[in-house]
Amino acid sequence: MDKTAALTGLLGIDLPILLAPMAGASTPELAAAVSNAGGLGALGTAMMKLEQVRQETATLRQLTNQSFNLNFFVHDEPKLGGYDAGPMQQALAPFYSELGLGGVPAPSVPAPAFNEEMLALLLELRPRVASFHFGLPAPETVERLKEAGMAVIGSATTAAEARALESGGADAIIAQGHEAGGHRGTFLDHVDLGTVGTIALVPQVVDAVDVPVIAAGGIGDARGIAAAFMLGAAGVQLGTAYLACPEANVHPVHRKALAEASDHSTVVTKLFSGRPARAIRNRLTEDLHAHERHAAPFPAQRPMVAQLTTASAKANRAELMQLWSGQAARLSKAEPAAEKTVRLMKEAYRLMGR
């Protein structure tokens, strides 16, 4: 069976294009627009409390009766007992002082990893797709989700991770290239590894597994989509390209930075969360680059910088903000998400002679 047809059938969609979950930027309106256009909309729930997940999902269901994806992080809970927060607090202190914010907060866990309570809620909500970053839940949990009618997908940054996901029960695998914005999904090796580019990663993952492969990372237009299919992908996942859409929850200063970004504007940093994630380079990432080694274990670093990035956004100061972006931001066009979804696939199919 054609792998693209297998993927669209599995996910209950017409077009083999997925919206990346993008916790914080994804909204029910954005997810619904992509789903209603025939793709797979998504909500990034990683930093949400249980009730917020329930409310956001209810809003999404009011906007679409099509398939959608709920995404979760399955990282190990950090142990902070042996972590010395002093050096990072000292490095951040001048920026907090500059914005009149007082002392730098201590590290803490803003939201738990995927747990039994969230599993119970997921089994109650039953989206068509449940996706996971940083690995998969235990095999018995994956089986429960599949028995409840959900397709389960996960992100891989190497062929070895793809094989591990397939063995763990994944129905499809996202091959996330190093060009991708936001958090790298590496889970088998040290978090600093998993740096294979999309064009090298996708065909090797396709050769390594039997389930459909979804290409992600640096895909910003129809040319990238067509290339992904030529590499053997059954579908594509785009994130940064959708940040330019009006339905996305993106600060105006962030939108401007995305529109002005070049191919070398981004950097992979641990400063915002404690794990490698790609964002637009600014004064904060440059001045504190040497201090990344002092970052708190993921996600405990996030509360240490949260007040700073929030205050920076309110002050419209891009140089101190958190500006998630992939390397292909400059290729993104500002247009409604539904129009973008249909246009990109039409153009890609035309390039492929379909």
Side-chain angles (χ1 to χ4, degrees):
M1 184 179 182
D2 177 78
K3 286 193 174 181
T4 296
L7 179 68
T8 55
L10 171 73
L11 306 182
I13 57 179
D14 295 322
L15 302 175
I17 182 169
L18 288 70
L19 168 68
M22 301 186 294
S26 61
T27 64
E29 291 76 16
L30 178 61
V34 174
S35 291
N36 288 334
L40 185 73
L43 286 177
T45 70
M47 293 297 118
M48 295 184 191
K49 305 298 185 184
L50 286 168
E51 193 51 40
Q52 187 180 1
V53 176
R54 189 191 304 277
Q55 291 173 356
E56 294 277 288
T57 304
T59 300
L60 177 52
R61 280 209 160 103
Q62 290 173 354
L63 298 171
T64 185
N65 60 0
Q66 303 300 309
S67 298
F68 60 85
N69 166 31
L70 295 183
N71 176 259
F72 303 87
F73 286 176
V74 286
H75 56 281
D76 294 328
E77 291 287 349
K79 296 178 176 60
L80 298 177
Y83 171 67
D84 179 8
M88 179 53 68
Q89 288 177 313
Q90 185 176 356
L92 288 168
F95 298 96
Y96 269 74
S97 177
E98 183 178 328
L99 292 176
L101 297 175
V104 180
S108 61
V109 179
F114 187 76
N115 55 22
E116 287 298 320
E117 288 184 322
M118 196 63 81
L119 171 61
L121 179 60
L122 183 53
L123 289 168
E124 173 194 327
L125 297 175
R126 297 196 182 197
R128 179 64 177 260
V129 180
S131 68
F132 298 92
H133 217 45
F134 313 129
L136 285 178
E140 55 269 25
T141 299
V142 171
E143 191 57 35
R144 289 181 66 185
L145 296 174
K146 294 166 77 166
E147 288 175 352
M150 285 172 257
V152 175
I153 59 180
S155 296
T157 60
T158 64
E161 288 182 343
R163 286 190 289 268
L165 292 173
E166 184 177 41
S167 297
D171 295 302
I173 292 165
I174 299 162
Q176 184 197 31
H178 188 46
E179 300 92 329
H183 286 95
R184 187 184 307 158
T186 304
F187 64 94
L188 279 187
D189 294 308
H190 189 277
V191 294
D192 290 330
L193 301 178
T195 58
V196 187
T198 305
I199 201 166
L201 178 65
V202 171
Q204 294 183 73
V205 170
V206 169
D207 290 347
V209 299
D210 292 324
V211 297
V213 174
I214 301 152
I219 302 173
D221 61 11
R223 292 170 296 180
I225 294 172
F229 282 104
M230 294 301 293
L231 294 171
V236 293
Q237 178 175 276
L238 280 66
T240 304
Y242 281 104
L243 291 179
C245 297
E247 300 93 338
N249 180 31
V250 178
H251 191 282
V253 171
H254 190 173
R255 289 185 186 276
K256 184 174 184 291
L258 289 165
E260 295 175 352
S262 68
D263 55 347
H264 59 89
S265 291
T266 63
V267 63
V268 176
T269 178
K270 294 181 182 178
L271 288 173
F272 298 114
S273 72
R275 281 189 73 114
R278 187 176 294 281
I280 293 174
R281 183 185 290 106
N282 59 11
R283 179 180 149 213
L284 187 66
T285 64
E286 292 296 284
D287 288 0
L288 294 187
H289 175 69
H291 299 277
E292 283 191 45
R293 66 185 186 279
H294 300 305
F298 178 86
Q301 172 75 7
R302 189 168 181 269
M304 298 182 76
V305 298
Q307 292 181 32
L308 178 63
T309 54
T310 299
S312 301
K314 289 181 179 178
N316 294 317
R317 297 185 59 173
E319 75 272 17
L320 299 179
M321 284 175 63
Q322 175 181 284
L323 305 167
W324 296 136
S325 174
Q327 289 183 329
R330 194 61 177 267
L331 299 177
S332 301
K333 180 181 178 182
E335 61 190 321
E339 291 181 18
K340 181 185 291 286
T341 301
V342 173
R343 177 183 63 79
L344 286 175
M345 289 311 307
K346 280 185 176 179
E347 291 178 1
Y349 284 146
R350 185 166 59 250
L351 289 171
M352 292 185 287
R354 294 188 185 180

